[in-house]
Amino acid sequence: MDTTTAGAAGAAENPPVRFDTKIAVLLRDDLETWQRLNVTAFLVSGLGTASPEVIGAPYEDADGTAYLPMFRQPVLVFEAGKETMTLARARALSRSLTTAVFTSDLFGTGNDRDNRAAVRAVGRDALDLVGMAVHGPRNAVDKVLKGARMHP
């Protein structure tokens, strides 16, 4: 059997995994590169604690070195303007989706206690969102992200 046929047979036996949920990060489009990376890392860090089913098994290399588990599915990153960001957060909350937020105030704090206090000090509709992460059913997350575009 040639490798093309063998590859096709292997794919039929192990079809690609299609997840019924989606993990997405939405970033405000006016952030600097370092801010985008920092916000993304902070936002996704909470999803595994709130939705442990998104975490896969630990990794191990051929030498038996153990590595931490990671998300079992891709994380899609989007960007949008401030208005779309505000609408997306409202949609996520109205659908009771697992959501993490990052506000502009968090760039000026230096620890978890001050981060939480900065968010707690502002009402929901007045939060200056620069990023959010959301996890839930694919179609619900797609509706939340309406108007956003994939991050370049």
Side-chain angles (χ1 to χ4, degrees), residues 4-5 9 15 36-37 54-55 66 69 75 88 98-99 105 117 126 130 139-140 145 147:
T4 308
T5 307
R36 291 171 186 252
L37 296 170
V54 301
I55 303 297
V75 176
T98 303
T99 306
D105 294 332
V130 297
N139 62 344
L145 298 172

Side-chain angles (χ1 to χ4, degrees), residues 5 7 23 40 60 62 68 83-84 91-93 105-106 115-116 125 127 130 132 141 149-150:
T5 307
I23 298 171
T40 300
E60 184 177 299
L68 292 173
E83 183 178 309
T84 300
R91 290 180 192 131
L93 294 177
D105 294 332
L106 302 187
N115 285 351
R116 286 182 282 112
D125 294 334
L127 290 172
V130 297
M132 64 178 277
V141 172
R149 58 196 168 277
M150 286 294 290

Side-chain angles (χ1 to χ4, degrees), residues 101 103 105-106 112-124 127:
V101 296
T103 68
D105 294 332
L106 302 187
D112 184 53
R113 183 193 68 234
D114 292 342
N115 285 351
R116 286 182 282 112
V119 173
R120 189 179 313 109
V122 180
R124 175 179 49 231
L127 290 172

Side-chain angles (χ1 to χ4, degrees), residues 28-76:
R28 206 163 74 194
D29 59 8
D30 60 350
L31 297 179
E32 294 185 35
T33 301
W34 75 266
Q35 291 173 317
R36 291 171 186 252
L37 296 170
N38 184 266
V39 169
T40 300
F42 267 93
L43 288 170
V44 299
S45 69
L47 291 179
T49 60
S51 303
E53 71 277 5
V54 301
I55 303 297
Y59 286 75
E60 184 177 299
D61 64 26
D63 298 316
T65 306
Y67 301 98
L68 292 173
M70 296 186 282
F71 291 130
R72 64 181 180 88
Q73 64 188 91
V75 176
L76 302 173

Side-chain angles (χ1 to χ4, degrees), residues 14 37 39 88 100 106-108 129 146 151:
N14 293 315
L37 296 170
V39 169
L106 302 187
F107 290 126
L129 293 177
K146 184 178 179 183
H151 190 281

